[in-house]
Amino acid sequence: MGTWKAARILAGRVPRSAIDDREHPPGLLGTENVTERKITVVGAGVLGLWQALTLARQGYAVTLVERSEKAFAGAASRWAAAMLAPDCEAESAPEIVRDLGQQSYALWRAVYPGVVRNGTLVTAGARDLSELGRFARATRNHHHLDEDAIAALEPDLAGRFSSALFYPHEAHLDCIAGMSGVLAAAREAGVTVALGAEWQDGARKSDIVVDCRGLAARGAVKGLRGVRGERLLVGSLEVTLSRPVRLLHPRQPIYVVPQGDGRFVIGATVIEREDEDAMTVRSALELLGSAYALHPAFGEAAILDMGAGVRPAFADNVPRVLIEDGGNMIRVNGAYRHGFLLAPILAQAVAKFIADGRRDHPLIA
């Protein structure tokens, strides 16, 4: 059913009998009011949070089910650096990630005011300037900066780098604070949150299930693989950065993302492995060594946290919305390293499909 028709029915302006229900595919808005439709969202990582919030704001009765007793404890997205960086991601991601990701900042900002939009700085050491040129050719929406411009933008990096790229439209946020903000907004919108609750595929008590379980759903989602990512959280009052800084290197490029209060996320490795073991010494040395190369004061930083998560991904590293059972089962998966960037866009795609049954969104498989 078209969105305008649903709205007019709910407002009591058009009798439901005047609408031809044959235009609805099974499992979509048909003979029930929106508020009578029950939707279960499974998995309270960043994808599930945005699905629950967006659907609740559309008027559906939404339950968010998460097997972990503590919010985010089992989510791969808890290890994210939470950068909204579509232009930089275009260096290695398909164009669809960059193009759809441009909408992300406004959607995040409307829910979580803590999003910081100061852009992204990308630089390289003198021996690796060819990497900077390659990065520039692979991306767009950037400005070339010389040494003086770098110092004006990030005074603590003055005299350390001769050239950089600045991506002014990008943003970042504190990962846990951002997810907590979406969870709070979802509860305010009427979402029932069930932590420590198990959900079994096939045992449905809702009209529609939206499965956002990541790798836990690989038995039902073909083509998923796990990609291990490791990152550190350090604390230092000797370094001040106003935006994420990416330091390029042929073998181990890194990013350093300020989180406020002297905290910085340093990441991240991309390893084609699926184990969730503790961070390795090699990875820690590489990340910390690169951070030291960015600014020597990181050598005295306190290590506050370190860990590894396994991100679900498809072969092309682009997430999918998979429609099954006539629309009664919807699986959202494969976010790779684009979870924070594309979670709001994926939620919009699912909400639109449930409302009108159309599959023309590019992320709906």
Side-chain angles (χ1 to χ4, degrees):
M1 177 184 298
T3 303
W4 70 274
K5 289 183 180 178
R8 292 174 68 194
I9 290 172
L10 292 174
R13 297 175 185 171
V14 180
R16 184 169 292 277
S17 59
I19 306 297
D20 185 356
D21 286 334
R22 290 175 298 175
E23 73 179 25
H24 312 305
L28 302 181
L29 182 59
T31 58
E32 303 91 349
N33 288 333
V34 169
T35 52
E36 294 174 356
R37 300 289 291 177
K38 296 180 180 179
I39 300 178
T40 297
V41 178
V42 187
V46 70
L47 296 190
L49 290 170
W50 270 98
Q51 294 291 331
L53 171 62
T54 303
L55 292 169
R57 286 183 169 180
Q58 294 291 319
Y60 300 102
V62 179
T63 299
L64 177 61
V65 176
E66 168 57 46
R67 65 181 179 181
S68 299
E69 294 184 0
K70 183 179 179 181
F72 324 133
S77 46
R78 76 190 186 279
W79 299 108
M83 293 181 288
L84 308 181
D87 295 321
C88 283
E89 286 301 307
E91 179 259 341
S92 59
E95 289 186 1
I96 188 174
V97 173
R98 177 198 64 204
D99 295 344
L100 292 177
Q102 302 294 337
Q103 310 165 35
S104 187
Y105 169 74
L107 295 169
W108 267 103
R109 182 73 179 180
V111 172
Y112 175 63
V115 179
V116 178
R117 195 177 201 180
N118 285 344
T120 302
L121 187 70
V122 181
T123 190
R127 293 181 296 180
D128 301 320
L129 287 178
S130 61
E131 287 294 302
L132 194 64
R134 179 194 59 79
F135 200 96
R137 292 189 296 272
T139 58
R140 64 187 188 188
N141 298 328
H142 54 71
H143 306 303
H144 288 267
L145 304 183
D146 60 15
E147 186 172 336
D148 291 339
I150 295 171
L153 203 63
E154 292 289 358
D156 279 19
L157 299 183
R160 300 198 52 79
F161 301 97
S162 62
S163 184
L165 304 170
F166 178 51
Y167 296 78
H169 306 301
E170 299 191 334
H172 68 283
L173 60 145
D174 181 301
C175 167
I176 298 300
M179 289 198 293
S180 298
V182 180
L183 178 60
R187 283 181 162 135
E188 185 177 347
V191 174
T192 299
V193 179
L195 298 176
E198 289 288 343
W199 177 86
Q200 298 295 328
D201 200 343
R204 303 178 196 170
K205 298 181 180 179
S206 301
D207 300 302
I208 298 172
V209 173
V210 182
D211 180 1
C212 303
R213 291 177 295 153
L215 280 177
R218 70 186 316 167
V221 180
K222 294 181 179 180
L224 272 184
R225 77 187 199 283
V227 181
R228 178 180 166 96
E230 300 158 309
R231 69 101 172 103
L232 299 107
L233 181 68
V234 304
S236 174
L237 298 179
E238 304 301 317
V239 185
T240 299
L241 297 175
S242 299
R243 57 192 49 81
V245 178
R246 298 184 183 226
L247 180 63
L248 302 181
H249 185 275
R251 189 182 77 251
Q252 181 58 66
I254 68 161
Y255 52 70
V256 177
V257 184
Q259 302 286 284
D261 301 322
R263 296 173 301 121
F264 301 87
V265 171
I266 302 173
T269 59
V270 179
I271 304 172
E272 293 287 340
R273 290 203 334 249
E274 299 189 1
D275 62 277
E276 295 190 58
D277 295 340
M279 175 180 282
T280 64
V281 170
R282 172 185 291 181
S283 294
L285 287 173
E286 289 182 344
L287 292 174
L288 290 170
S290 296
Y292 180 82
L294 180 67
H295 197 293
F298 280 120
E300 301 301 322
I303 298 176
L304 305 176
D305 187 23
M306 63 168 61
V310 180
R311 300 164 288 201
F314 293 108
D316 60 358
N317 297 329
V318 176
R320 305 272 200 284
V321 176
L322 306 172
I323 310 298
E324 302 174 7
D325 191 21
N328 292 320
M329 170 61 74
I330 301 172
R331 303 192 193 270
V332 186
N333 215 316
Y336 184 51
R337 52 190 279 172
H338 312 307
F340 275 77
L341 181 65
L342 294 182
I345 287 84
L346 287 160
Q348 287 189 328
V350 169
K352 187 175 186 303
F353 169 76
I354 293 175
D356 61 25
R358 297 182 61 177
R359 305 188 184 206
D360 53 358
H361 194 281
L363 294 181
I364 295 182

